[in-house]
């Protein structure tokens, strides 16, 4: 695999955390070459395209994209570029690991949940229309093909990583056909993996269980909307959005991004926590077979957090992004 990767700088805190992460990757000797593109609102205002054609071409050549957050207008304007990228490249598996870090004080210890969120259909298919001026329809699409591949990926991951249980999250008591299909496919696929416990739970119950007894969850597989919401919840269990990385995998293409958005409330202040994006970069290094480099970066982050004097404000500290970046590079 090529060591050249595509990088999207994004909006809000995107450019700040991208600069920090690329500096750390270089200091760790990741041996990567970057094709860097500005994308999003600022790029649109400057050059008239949200994502320049060359940026797509670069991803299509390199197959690996490190993408920082992009702002999406609420209720109007262009469709989410994040959703568009996932659909265009069929990045169907959104994997979001939420793991407690001893150094970060939270309500629970030992949270270790890996969420597999289906990334291409459900209500995110974007099939919406106004029936009349007071009635909007949004179509939820669930197919056997897309359900089967995400469920199989979750079980395969459980086997590879020595995990014990996969929980299917749905609302099949109400959406009997769509969520019913997802749940049925889950149990069909689960029969191929008798060594892994398979269970299903209704999404509202899961929301409550996650904040009461999160340690009961191991691998979770769910549809697009529930996965989007519940994974932000799991970030809250481990110390916030600044700590939750993700990968978006499809057939041949891989995109790595933090779960959080462009955080306009803190953009430009130099205080964003780059850890979630850095850990996404570590998932990328592992995807590229650079496991040793990823492990070294993870160790340096753990040491800085454990030492505790250089933390960004979201973790209760006063450090800037640049100071935190320097502390990690010093450890490397
Ligand atoms: P957000 O995730 O940007 O921010 C939520 C809260 O978490 C804010 O208080 C923010 O300051 C904080 N936060 C997020 N990341 C942080 C970090 N790295 N360090 C410290 N604090 C952090 O969610 P919000 O405000 O709902 O969305 C802002 C924009 O981002 C919207 O346009 C949304 O559509 C977009 N978005 C983009 C995503 C992507 O590109 N994958 C994902 C989620 C949202």
């Amino acid at each position: 695999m090529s060591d050249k990767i595509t990088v999207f700088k994004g909006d809000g805190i995107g450019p700040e955390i991208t600069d920090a992460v690329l500096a750390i990757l270089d200091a760790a000797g990741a041996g990567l070459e970057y094709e860097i593109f500005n994308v999003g609102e600022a790029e649109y205002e400057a050059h008239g395209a949200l994502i320049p054609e060359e940026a797509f071409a670069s991803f299509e050549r390199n197959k690996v994209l490190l993408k920082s957050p992009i702002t999406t207008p609420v209720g109007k304007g262009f469709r989410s570029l994040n959703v568009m990228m996932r659909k265009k490249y069929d990045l169907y598996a959104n994997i979001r690991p939420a793991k407690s870090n001893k150094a970060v004080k939270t309500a629970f210890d030992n949270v270790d949940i890996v969420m597999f969120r289906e990334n291409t259909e459900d209500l995110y298919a974007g099939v919406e229309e106004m029936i009349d001026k007071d009635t909007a329809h949004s179509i939820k699409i669930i197919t056997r093909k897309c359900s089967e591949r995400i469920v199989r990926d979750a079980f395969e991951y459980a086997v590879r990583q020595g995990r014990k249980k996969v929980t299917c999250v749905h609302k099949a008591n109400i959406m009997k056909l769509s969520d019913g299909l997802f749940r049925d496919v889950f149990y069909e696929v689960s029969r191929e993996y008798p060594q892994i416990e398979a269970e299903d739970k209704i999404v509202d119950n899961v929301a409550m269980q996650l904040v009461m007894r999160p340690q009961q969850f191991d691998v979770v597989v769910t549809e697009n909307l529930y996965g989007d919401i519940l994974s932000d919840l799991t970030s809250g269990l481990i110390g916030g959005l600044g700590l939750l990385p993700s990968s978006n995998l499809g057939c041949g293409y891989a995109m790595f991004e933090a779960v959080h958005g462009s955080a306009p409330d803190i953009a430009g202040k130099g205080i964003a926590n780059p850890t979630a994006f850095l850990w996404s970069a570590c998932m990328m290094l592992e995807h590229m077979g650079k496991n040793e480099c990823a492990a070294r970066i993870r160790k340096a982050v753990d040491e800085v957090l454990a030492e505790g004097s250089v933390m960004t404000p979201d973790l209760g500290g006063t450090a800037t992004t640049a100071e935190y970046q320097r502390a990690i590079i010093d450890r490397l």
Side-chain angles (χ1 to χ4, degrees):
M1 189 180 292
S2 157
D3 287 350
K4 213 180 252 183
I5 65 161
T6 304
V7 178
F8 285 6
K9 269 195 162 179
D11 298 305
I13 60 170
E16 304 164 38
I17 59 172
T18 306
D19 290 344
V21 166
L22 297 189
I24 294 168
L25 288 173
D26 287 342
L32 297 172
E33 243 185 273
Y34 312 115
E35 294 181 352
I36 303 176
F37 298 91
N38 295 318
V39 300
E41 274 187 324
E43 177 62 18
Y44 182 76
E45 274 149 31
H47 300 110
L50 289 159
I51 299 182
E53 277 308 314
E54 314 89 79
F56 289 118
S58 167
F59 183 34
E60 283 160 27
R61 269 194 316 276
N62 298 330
K63 308 277 192 279
V64 175
L65 170 62
L66 187 59
K67 182 196 145 294
S68 79
I70 303 175
T71 298
T72 307
V74 176
K76 57 182 170 40
F78 60 85
R79 276 193 69 200
S80 162
L81 296 181
N82 308 304
V83 173
M84 182 276 292
M85 286 297 291
R86 294 168 191 158
K87 293 248 334 155
K88 181 174 167 77
Y89 294 102
D90 200 19
L91 301 163
Y92 68 88
N94 187 196
I95 303 160
R96 300 183 157 188
K99 193 171 186 330
S100 300
N101 188 301
K102 282 193 207 70
V104 181
K105 250 181 100 59
T106 52
F108 301 99
D109 297 326
N110 305 324
V111 173
D112 187 3
I113 302 167
V114 180
M115 194 166 290
F116 279 67
R117 164 191 173 196
E118 202 291 320
N119 227 2
T120 58
E121 51 181 19
D122 192 0
L123 283 160
Y124 287 52
V127 188
E128 283 195 313
E129 62 176 327
M130 295 304 294
I131 300 302
D132 59 45
K133 75 175 184 18
D134 297 318
T135 315
H137 278 190
S138 189
I139 311 285
K140 169 165 174 145
I141 297 172
I142 299 291
T143 64
R144 171 172 292 278
K145 177 188 153 198
C146 292
S147 304
E148 201 174 307
R149 60 187 185 174
I150 189 73
V151 169
R152 179 160 286 108
D153 279 11
F155 277 99
E156 286 291 329
Y157 175 90
V159 171
R160 265 197 327 276
Q161 299 293 324
R163 299 275 182 154
K164 303 271 178 292
K165 182 168 77 173
V166 181
T167 306
C168 167
V169 178
H170 61 83
K171 187 80 184 172
N173 52 329
I174 304 297
M175 280 159 281
K176 294 179 193 296
L177 299 184
S178 52
D179 284 25
L181 175 62
F182 189 80
R183 180 177 173 278
D184 287 350
V185 168
F186 171 78
Y187 279 114
E188 280 166 35
V189 173
S190 76
R191 285 199 281 278
E192 297 168 30
Y193 302 90
Q195 70 275 42
I196 306 289
E197 184 187 340
E199 66 168 15
D200 73 284
K201 281 189 163 38
I202 294 172
V203 62
D204 35 348
N205 177 29
V206 171
M208 184 273 288
Q209 298 281 346
L210 276 170
V211 295
M212 294 293 289
R213 216 161 53 82
Q215 295 91 344
Q216 70 183 285
F217 294 99
D218 188 348
V219 177
V220 169
V221 65
T222 190
E223 296 166 13
N224 208 337
L225 177 62
Y226 310 142
D228 193 0
I229 296 168
L230 291 179
S231 59
D232 268 38
L233 193 161
T234 63
S235 87
L237 298 173
I238 60 159
L241 279 168
L243 297 177
L244 193 63
S246 83
S247 60
N248 297 266
L249 306 181
C251 309
Y253 291 105
M255 178 172 93
F256 300 84
E257 61 178 345
V259 164
H260 62 72
S262 54
D265 52 340
I266 58 165
K269 295 185 177 162
I271 55 166
N273 184 352
T275 311
F277 196 40
L278 182 59
W279 280 337
S280 308
C282 288
M283 293 172 86
M284 176 190 77
L285 291 174
E286 287 151 2
H287 172 81
M288 299 173 83
K290 294 173 181 280
N291 296 40
E292 194 262 339
C293 184
R296 226 149 14 89
I297 295 173
R298 288 183 191 279
K299 183 163 170 283
V301 173
D302 284 347
E303 285 173 5
V304 170
L305 293 178
E307 198 272 328
S309 68
V310 188
M311 286 208 194
T312 44
D314 58 307
L315 299 183
T318 55
T320 62
T321 312
E323 286 162 350
Y324 182 67
Q325 165 199 325
R326 258 196 310 278
I328 294 171
I329 290 176
D330 286 348
R331 293 277 167 174
L332 286 166

